[in-house]
Amino acid sequence: MKFLTTFLLSACLAAQALAQGNSNGNANANGKENANENSNKDKDLEEFTFTVEATFKGKKIPQSEIKLSKIPPGKEANPGKKLGLEKKQDGESGSRLTARDTTKNPTSGSANWCGSVKHTTTTNQIKLIHAYFQHPTCTKRTGQTYPQATAQWAGIDGDTWTGALLQSGTVCKIDNSTGVVRNEAWWQWLPNGAYTISSLPVAPGDWFEVTIDTTSNRTAKVTLANLSKSYAYAITISGGAALGRLDADWVVERPRYGSSLSGFPKLSDVWFQNAYATLVSGTTTRLGLKGATQLQIPYLCASEEYDNENSVSWSL
């Protein structure tokens, strides 16, 4: 069972800042003119609130300059929606590299996820997930419908645990045959809608660091940093849908627009580096990529692990 990251960018709504609208179509991270922190309430989940802080080259960015845009969840992107394939299809992957590990991870087909998923048990849940990745160069793919899009992210749950998914990363989207690409950063705690971080610049080749640190199954801190441009955003969230904290995900995704999956563009290789998750039992206890399931989108995207901390997803 795989969640869909829902990007309805053509119908973006401004984030609501603590019951105060922002008339310019964007939301800054401050619901009150003189407050130091933002407190936004999501109407989809009454208790869901978050605060945002950001830095540029180590200096704090004023709240008035932090811009988020709310993306409501699509009607088809509901928890528990089955997006796997009934059986593995032949010819969808091949090999991109000679893995350092001699034992290859198992593979499985998916309609929308391309990457690594590692599971833990209910007796020792995931506390934190981490990865570096490079935002890809995306180009239109012949024979695919528009929009064409790919989202690359790290997250917790959404596979064996279908009630919630917390994720953050970047997306590139090609709206039509002109081939013009939009590159954006975002985060989401499903089943709530996603938030585009419109004040965080994204360009092909930029290196990003994602860290999601949970303090309970309903509270977490998401840190998304553009290392190439020295920006860092930290979102502290409470009241999210209950996580199982059972699935660690490093994924390139084919997102949904409205009721349909997007077309899938051609993209440069996406490496997830220093990819790991820590467990509640202790920060020195880690889940790595060894033994993860490598998900493939047949004829569009394949993935493979290199070693316990590095994997690659690539377009076919």
Side-chain angles (χ1 to χ4, degrees), residues 174 177 208 230:
I174 303 171
S177 60
F208 283 81
S230 302

Side-chain angles (χ1 to χ4, degrees), residues 189-204:
W189 193 323
L190 283 157
N192 280 62
Y195 287 85
T196 297
I197 310 173
S198 50
S199 52
L200 176 56
V202 180

Side-chain angles (χ1 to χ4, degrees), residues 20 32 44 56 95 114 133 212 228 245 250 284:
Q20 293 187 4
K32 299 178 181 178
D44 298 324
F56 173 59
S95 182
C114 179
F133 69 88
I212 299 175
S228 300
R245 296 194 284 178
W250 299 272
T284 58

